[in-house]
Structures are given as C-alpha cells and as structure tokens.
Amino acid sequence: MAKKRPQTKAKPQLTDGEIPVVGAREPCPCGSGRRYKACHGRAAAHAATELVHRPFEGLPGECDWVALRELVPAATAELPLKDGLPAGVPSVTLATVLPMAWPALRRDDGSVLIGLQNDTASGDISRDLADTLLRALEAEPGSPVRGRRAPAEGPRLQDLLDPQGAFEPVVHSGFEFWVPDAENATPEVTASLERANAAAIPTVRLAGVDAAYWCRTPEKNHLRWVMPHPEEQLLDALARLHAAGRSSLGDGTRLVGSFRAHGLTVPVWDLPSGVGAEDVEKPAAEFAERLAAALAVTEPLTADERRARGGLTNRQVTLS
C-alpha cells in the first residue's frame, strides 16, 4: 500500500508587483521553484535592456538634450526639479561631461552636477540619469556618484524634472565649470583642465533658432541642427528644398547629410572655414522659414526630389 504524502500548506502566491529583486541564481520569490533569472527576472532584465529610442521625449528642450548628449563638448544647463530643490542642495546642473567621467558629483557646497555623456547600463538613458540624480541628491557633499544599473521600475527624468521649467544650455569654451575656482586650482587640476580643453572642438549655439550648433574643425566649419520633426516628413522637406537649390545657408555652404540620434534627425551643413557662428544666424533663420513651408507640402515627391532624398538618406549616420 503506497504511503500517503504528508500534506503541506500551499505557499501564498505573490503578484508581480510584490516580487522583490534577488540574485539571478537565487530561487524566485514567487515560489515557482525556478531561479530568478529564468522566472520573473527575465521580464526585469528585458525591461532594463530594452532600448528607448527617444529617451528625452517630453522633456523641455528635447533637441538640446540630444545635442548635449552627442554633439557638444562642453556645456551646462540648470535643471529645475518638479518638487523643488531639497534642503542643502542649492542647484542641480546638467553637464556634458564631468572629470573622471563621473556620472554625478555632489560638490562641497551641496550643489549637484550630473554628467550626460556617460555610458549607461540600461537601454533607457532617462531612467539611468534619474537614478543617478536621486543618488546624487542624497550623496555626501564633496563626493562623486558611481554608475550602476537603474532599477527597471525606477523613475525617469520626465518624472523628476519640472515639465514647465526652461532648459537653457550654456556652451563653454572649456571645462572650467568643473571646479568652483579654476584660477586658483592645484597644478594637477590645472593640467587636467588644459588637456580636456585642448581636445574640445570650439562650439557655439545659435541664438536665432532652436538647437542649432556651429562648430569649428581644422578642415572646415559645420552647422549641426537637431530638429524635432518626424524623420520621414523632415527628409521629404529637405529633399524638396535640396532639389530646388534652396537647402544651403549661403555661398560656399552645403547640406551634406544628417545624423540620427535618440529618435531625432540632425541635418549637417559644411561651411567654409571663414564662416563663423554669427555669419549663419540670419541664413539659418531664413532656412527655418523655407523648411516650415516645405514641411507643409503634402504632394508626392517629384523624380528630382526623390533622387535628392535618396542622396540625403545615403549620407545619414546613426549615432545612437
């Protein structure tokens, strides 16, 4: 006669929202008997690595966020928080890059600097930056914040920043903003600043249009303009202007292609080496008017326009 198995009480079942994160090789807390990585950890890992194509969508100044992430060497912008600054934190500042590639730094006076151009552990830059920001607000003054993988369920920048706050980048000629008093810095810090400054490409943000950045390189100058329009619509409009001979920014300038970065398109113009940022202010404003008119056209592209579009598409480079 077979022995009766002792009866055991069934474990209470947890809902997905109640299951904590444990080590990948530990038993899953849901009671399935499988390892966490093969059970509920699979969804958490997918959420942490799934690429968010427009991580800055919904933030004020999305185009400038993309520019500072991918194109601008040295710039800062004050970040207004949705719930205001905590006690002991006089300011929160976004920086393109910080010394030692730190994700964030809490200065001696309590102010916070957040680095934008760091590698991130997940596929959502916004979530990683929000995690870094929260840890920086609680860090001891005078200490850097190390990188880590943000919790998959953690907040994003869109949850922490004031949606009505202005995003106004300030482009710097160098990285003196790293230290409160660069003129009286130690020789080691001074040498580090000199090395960083020597590698920075001179860059200027245009005043008359949004998110357009002039830069100077040894061979020629460029204008790189981050635009918010849907990619297909923008490429059609650029093709119409290019086919009509109206895509340049003046004599000797040429629309040469575009970047694709964080879900947005960045048209690029070559400029003669003698053309400075102030020289393209008026032509850029005039081009913005021509582009607005071209964006409003809904007719199919002509044969010449299709060829122009093909050329622009072939010269498109994806940055992220």
Side-chain angles (χ1 to χ4, degrees):
M1 188 174 183
K3 293 182 179 179
K4 292 182 178 180
R5 292 183 181 178
Q7 293 184 353
T8 57
K9 294 182 179 180
K11 293 182 179 179
Q13 295 298 309
L14 301 177
T15 65
D16 288 352
E18 295 174 329
I19 296 170
V21 176
V22 298
R25 300 178 66 83
E26 295 181 34
C28 186
C30 76
S32 67
R34 290 182 294 173
R35 290 176 176 173
Y36 179 70
K37 69 176 183 178
C39 192
H40 281 83
R42 182 179 300 170
H46 178 73
T49 58
E50 186 176 9
L51 179 64
V52 176
H53 291 280
R54 285 184 65 179
F56 308 117
E57 185 177 14
L59 292 175
E62 179 189 7
C63 294
D64 283 304
W65 278 89
V66 172
L68 267 58
R69 168 77 181 184
E70 298 294 341
L71 306 174
V72 182
T76 57
E78 296 299 310
L79 296 180
L81 303 187
K82 184 179 294 185
D83 297 326
L85 294 171
V89 181
S91 63
V92 174
T93 303
L94 183 75
T96 48
V97 67
L98 295 177
M100 306 299 291
W102 285 325
L105 174 65
R106 182 88 185 270
R107 281 179 165 163
D108 291 335
D109 66 354
S111 59
V112 167
L113 288 175
I114 303 292
L116 181 58
Q117 293 182 6
N118 296 317
D119 292 334
T120 55
S122 80
D124 187 353
I125 298 171
S126 178
R127 196 179 308 281
D128 285 328
L129 288 171
D131 179 69
T132 299
L133 172 57
L134 290 176
R135 291 187 291 126
L137 294 173
E138 297 179 353
E140 290 295 324
S143 62
V145 174
R146 307 295 177 180
R148 74 170 189 182
R149 182 186 290 275
E153 70 283 358
R156 308 178 72 237
L157 286 174
Q158 288 82 347
D159 302 315
L160 303 180
L161 302 184
D162 183 356
Q164 304 302 322
F167 187 76
E168 299 176 349
V170 177
V171 178
H172 303 275
S173 59
F175 295 92
E176 283 74 17
F177 62 85
W178 281 354
V179 292
D181 187 4
E183 293 183 358
N184 296 315
T186 65
E188 292 81 5
V189 171
T190 299
S192 178
L193 284 173
E194 289 175 351
R195 288 193 298 271
N197 290 346
I201 296 174
T203 302
V204 176
R205 181 175 185 262
L206 298 194
V209 295
D210 292 334
Y213 290 80
W214 170 95
C215 67
R216 183 174 72 235
T217 63
E219 296 80 16
K220 61 186 69 176
N221 298 342
H222 305 280
L223 184 73
R224 301 179 291 190
W225 191 343
V226 187
M227 295 187 173
H229 316 291
E231 181 179 3
E232 296 302 316
Q233 182 186 8
L234 176 59
L235 288 175
D236 281 354
L238 291 174
R240 295 181 196 279
L241 294 176
H242 202 59
R246 306 182 68 206
S247 64
S248 77
L249 299 175
D251 293 341
T253 71
R254 186 166 68 99
L255 175 64
V256 293
S258 63
F259 297 130
R260 181 190 292 115
H262 305 292
L264 299 182
T265 303
V266 188
V268 179
W269 285 263
D270 278 353
L271 312 173
S273 57
V275 174
E278 65 282 356
D279 299 319
V280 292
E281 286 280 6
K282 182 178 179 181
E286 293 171 346
F287 178 84
E289 294 180 359
R290 298 197 299 274
L291 179 63
L295 287 166
V297 178
T298 58
E299 286 79 6
L301 298 179
T302 65
D304 287 343
E305 291 167 349
R306 288 196 301 271
R307 283 192 290 271
R309 193 187 195 282
L312 291 173
T313 303
N314 291 337
R315 296 191 297 273
Q316 190 173 50
V317 177
T318 300
L319 299 180
S320 59

